[in-house]
Amino acid sequence: MATLEGTTSISDLRAGAEIDGVFACTRKDRLIARSGTPYLAVELRDRSGSVAARVFRNADFLAGQFERGDLVVATGRAERFRDELQIDLRSIRRAEAADPAEFLPIAYRDLEELDGFLEHLAREVYDPDLRLLVDVFLEDERFREELRRAPCTRAGHHAYLGGLLEHTVAVGTLAVETCGLHPRLNSDLLVSSALLHDIGKTREFHFGAEIELSEAGALVGHLALGHGLITERAAQLDGFPDDKLHALSHCVLSHHGAEAQPGRRFRSPEALALYRLNALDAGVKGALEHGLQQGAGS
């Protein structure tokens, strides 16, 4: 969290407070004042909120010290202007060693608890091949850390660090309950695909001042990225059955339905179930966070 003299966060800022700390820069515009001199309009943010800031002195020099999307070290004073709080900045420059995770929104739910739920759900997969594949991911410490850190979307449902883990646990839980209601479903296939359906999102995003798409996320997308991770790990397992890999891949690749595969049909009830369960959690979470106009999302 940013260091603020006399307060703890942007949401607690009051007129007259001095700031000296690290923030996320989410806006940077060079404007011209009525006097004809340039100034910078900046927005600073931490997890508690955002505040407008202005640079009136040495604007062009300081503009070269940072870019929008950087984490920045800023000093200045909070002032009231037209009934709005803003910061009169004395200095601002790129922060070299800051962790973006300290400035991005994070899940309210306890990540350790969610990790425990994830491992419990994995134990609901009894097919030895599918269970081994799921375990290959869950026993990879780097993957688990990426899963804990990743959001689900940039601005839709679960758009915060830890959102991917929260969504994965929710869809996995729905899958287990659905299999209890419909025992003819292949529970091993549905639960394993629920746990792995969004793993491509561990590669889809880049973290800076905001959550952005990575190059792979923008060019390839999480469906193909996730399928690639699954086929890569399956290839490392001696003799992983092709029929199970194909069935799992179909569920993962089709969990956005016709939006992801125009003209193609679901080839298994498990793929249809995953599509519906994913949309259920995404849609309800989106409505709770953004209102009923929020779509199901990704």
Side-chain angles (χ1 to χ4, degrees):
M1 189 67 69
T3 300
L4 305 174
E5 294 183 13
T7 187
T8 58
S9 63
I10 284 177
S11 63
D12 294 328
L13 267 179
R14 298 294 182 268
E18 292 286 329
I19 71 162
D20 182 0
V22 180
F23 303 87
C25 174
T26 54
R27 179 191 175 192
K28 176 192 175 186
D29 292 318
R30 183 182 186 274
L31 304 175
I32 301 297
R34 290 181 180 179
S35 63
T37 58
Y39 71 96
L40 297 180
V42 177
E43 183 178 74
L44 302 177
R45 193 189 68 203
D46 64 13
R47 280 184 182 159
S48 72
S50 60
V51 64
R54 300 290 184 266
V55 177
F56 294 106
R57 295 173 293 279
N58 301 318
D60 284 338
F61 170 76
L62 292 176
Q65 307 301 305
F66 71 103
E67 297 295 339
R68 178 190 177 279
D70 285 343
L71 300 180
V72 296
V73 179
T75 65
R77 182 181 177 86
E79 297 179 346
R80 184 71 59 180
F81 178 71
R82 294 179 180 174
D83 294 326
E84 297 289 337
L85 198 66
Q86 73 174 30
I87 307 299
D88 181 8
L89 290 173
R90 293 188 297 272
S91 67
I92 183 170
R93 59 179 173 80
R94 182 183 297 107
E96 299 298 338
D99 180 2
E102 296 182 12
F103 302 88
L104 294 171
I106 192 168
Y108 288 107
R109 293 188 62 181
D110 184 88
L111 294 180
E112 294 294 335
E113 181 182 48
L114 288 170
D115 259 337
F117 280 127
L118 181 68
E119 292 174 358
H120 169 76
L121 291 167
R123 291 194 290 271
E124 295 294 323
V125 179
Y126 297 99
D127 178 274
D129 298 308
L130 292 173
R131 175 62 183 274
L132 182 59
L133 181 59
V134 170
D135 285 345
V136 165
F137 283 99
L138 297 193
E139 291 170 1
D140 183 333
E141 292 185 6
R142 179 178 177 182
F143 170 79
R144 291 291 290 273
E145 184 58 36
E146 291 171 346
L147 184 66
R148 287 166 60 98
R149 187 179 176 95
C152 231
T153 64
R154 293 175 59 201
H157 70 93
H158 300 89
Y160 43 77
L161 304 186
L164 178 56
L165 177 58
E166 186 177 323
H167 174 63
T168 299
V169 166
V171 177
T173 301
L174 289 170
V176 170
E177 295 300 322
T178 300
C179 290
L181 294 170
H182 300 283
R184 292 174 61 189
L185 285 169
N186 182 334
S187 62
D188 294 316
L189 175 59
L190 181 55
V191 174
S192 59
S193 64
L195 298 181
L196 299 178
H197 78 284
D198 265 349
I199 59 173
K201 292 188 175 184
T202 61
R203 301 285 188 274
E204 190 172 31
F205 300 106
H206 167 75
F207 306 120
E210 299 176 287
I211 298 170
E212 302 286 356
L213 287 176
S214 64
E215 181 178 22
L219 296 177
V220 180
H222 75 277
L223 295 179
L225 291 170
H227 179 243
L229 289 171
I230 289 169
T231 55
E232 176 185 313
R233 297 298 179 96
Q236 296 171 2
L237 301 175
D238 186 30
F240 192 89
D242 285 343
D243 60 334
K244 294 178 182 180
L245 177 60
H246 295 157
L248 179 65
S249 296
H250 174 63
C251 290
V252 170
L253 288 170
S254 61
H255 78 264
H256 287 308
E259 173 188 342
Q261 296 183 310
R264 296 192 63 182
R265 296 180 298 170
F266 294 109
R267 299 290 178 175
S268 71
E270 293 77 21
L272 173 62
L274 179 61
Y275 164 64
R276 295 296 188 186
L277 299 177
N278 175 71
L280 172 61
D281 184 60
V284 171
K285 184 68 170 179
L288 291 171
E289 293 178 335
H290 306 291
L292 291 175
Q293 299 303 312
Q294 172 71 29
S298 57

